[in-house]
Amino acid sequence: MKYMPFPPFHSKPCDRVVEVENAEKAIKLVRNALPLFRVGKPLIKPDGVDVPILYLNFAIDRLHYDPKKERPLPKGCPRSSRAGEVGEIEEKVEKILEEAKILPAAEFREPENCWIVPVAWKSFIILHIRVSADGKEIIPDYRLTEEIRRHGL
């Protein structure tokens, strides 16, 4: 059997955009934009509730919400109890956003060529905000935006 080497992990180096200054710009941008985030209409699913978070009429991420405990779920845990009153969910998530904090760090995702700035509520990371590699623009979640528009929310 002929030996086949593993393909390289990265097809292009990201060292040109991965600079501490760009990460700091991304964090500052999200910190300044946080007061402008709006709560969209909850998406009720059989196994949970997702609440779109909007910025300039585009969805930027979905917040997983547990209506039974009346609190967000951490990223990576999208399943919850059945939904309660939709209006109550929006009000509770607005309060959660008021209490949210931007963590002072960013992750770089090479496939998407962007920074991920985590947003926390208490000890949970509840949102991942995408910011352009240069740290100057928030990148919408186009798939979620389309889902919202498709359902007329």
Side-chain angles (χ1 to χ4, degrees), residues 11 22 48 65 79 87 103 106:
S11 59
N22 288 342
Y65 186 79
R79 291 178 186 31
L103 297 183

Side-chain angles (χ1 to χ4, degrees), residues 64-112:
H64 305 305
Y65 186 79
D66 185 343
K68 189 173 184 179
K69 294 183 180 178
E70 298 184 338
R71 69 175 192 203
L73 293 165
K75 277 297 196 186
C77 185
R79 291 178 186 31
S80 67
S81 58
R82 231 8 222 164
E85 184 63 37
V86 173
E88 291 177 14
I89 291 173
E90 289 180 58
E91 291 171 16
K92 302 259 191 230
V93 174
E94 284 176 12
K95 181 151 178 41
I96 289 164
L97 279 181
E98 289 172 10
E99 298 172 0
K101 303 280 187 245
I102 307 305
L103 297 183
E107 168 188 349
F108 192 80
R109 290 194 184 160
E110 185 181 46
E112 298 172 72

Side-chain angles (χ1 to χ4, degrees), residues 28-151:
K28 183 177 179 182
L29 176 67
V30 175
R31 188 173 287 123
N32 290 338
L34 181 62
L36 304 174
F37 291 179
R38 293 186 304 111
V39 176
K41 296 284 183 200
L43 302 169
I44 310 300
K45 300 183 175 198
D47 61 349
V49 177
D50 286 342
V51 181
I53 303 303
L54 309 172
Y55 177 69
L56 301 177
N57 293 323
F58 284 93
I60 52 172
D61 200 7
R62 61 181 77 221
L63 181 141
H64 305 305
Y65 186 79
D66 185 343
K68 189 173 184 179
K69 294 183 180 178
E70 298 184 338
R71 69 175 192 203
L73 293 165
K75 277 297 196 186
C77 185
R79 291 178 186 31
S80 67
S81 58
R82 231 8 222 164
E85 184 63 37
V86 173
E88 291 177 14
I89 291 173
E90 289 180 58
E91 291 171 16
K92 302 259 191 230
V93 174
E94 284 176 12
K95 181 151 178 41
I96 289 164
L97 279 181
E98 289 172 10
E99 298 172 0
K101 303 280 187 245
I102 307 305
L103 297 183
E107 168 188 349
F108 192 80
R109 290 194 184 160
E110 185 181 46
E112 298 172 72
N113 194 36
C114 69
W115 294 102
I116 301 297
V117 178
V119 178
W121 175 82
K122 298 191 178 186
S123 60
F124 290 169
I125 291 177
I126 58 170
L127 298 171
H128 289 147
I129 309 302
R130 289 171 179 77
V131 178
S132 61
D134 61 6
K136 295 180 180 178
E137 295 180 74
I138 292 178
I139 301 171
D141 182 333
Y142 292 110
R143 214 175 260 165
L144 178 57
T145 299
E146 179 57 34
E147 182 179 347
I148 292 167
R149 292 179 180 167
R150 190 172 47 248
H151 294 290

